Structures are given as C-alpha cells and as structure tokens.
Amino acid sequence: MSVLIKPIITEKMTADSELNNRYGFVVNPKANKLQIKDAIEATYGVSVKKVRTMNYGPTRKSRYTKTGVQHGKTNAVKKAIVDVVEGDIIDFYSNL
C-alpha cells in the first residue's frame, strides 16, 4: 500500500510551509496518522511533529443533456497536514 499519493502544491500551502513549517499531502484513504508519519520521515528524511488528517467525500453532479440526465461523482480524497520540526524543510522542487 502506497501511503503518500502526491504533495499539495497550492499558493495557500506554499505560504503555510514558508511561515509555519506545515506541508500538505494527498494520502491513501486507508492510511492512519502513524503510517503517514513514518512514510514522510522515510521519504523526505525529516522529523514530523504532528499529523492532522481530513476526509473529503465525493462531489456529486448531474447535468441535463439531449439523451437524458447524466449523473457523476468525483473520488473521495484524504488529505494530511504535516507539521515538521523547526529547522527541517521539505523541498519539492529539487531534482534529485
């Protein structure tokens, strides 16, 4: 099971990482906080102070077309906000 799916790189998360040493990740919905902490420490080589998670349900939409009503939804997502110990940074843009 791959715990980390991708980092969240938005203007808000970039500002939060520069000011408060917090980083956001999209994670596997079945992963718990301990698994997320271990995966980030192993992948990026930093010390994690705190992990907070959020579960987002699917967004349901419907539209009216010539052939009838079409229903659809997006996938459910779990996000993790990770506080890193002061002095450690995660660089998403390095080409290693």
Side-chain angles (χ1 to χ4, degrees), residues 34-75:
L34 295 175
Q35 292 172 336
I36 294 167
K37 178 182 177 181
D38 292 340
I40 290 173
E41 287 178 347
T43 305
Y44 295 104
V46 295
S47 298
V48 175
K49 183 169 44 173
K50 185 177 183 181
V51 176
R52 291 175 287 167
T53 59
M54 299 170 274
N55 283 310
Y56 287 96
T59 303
R60 300 180 189 283
K61 292 183 178 179
S62 62
R63 63 178 180 227
Y64 299 97
T65 63
K66 192 187 321 181
T67 59
V69 179
Q70 300 291 320
H71 299 285
K73 68 176 184 67
T74 61
N75 292 331

Side-chain angles (χ1 to χ4, degrees), residues 8-42:
I8 300 171
I9 302 174
T10 59
E11 189 173 348
K12 186 175 182 179
M13 283 308 307
T14 304
D16 206 22
S17 66
E18 291 171 355
L19 297 174
N20 300 321
N21 249 8
R22 289 187 197 134
Y23 299 92
F25 294 92
V26 177
V27 296
N28 189 331
K30 295 184 180 182
N32 60 24
K33 292 182 181 185
L34 295 175
Q35 292 172 336
I36 294 167
K37 178 182 177 181
D38 292 340
I40 290 173
E41 287 178 347

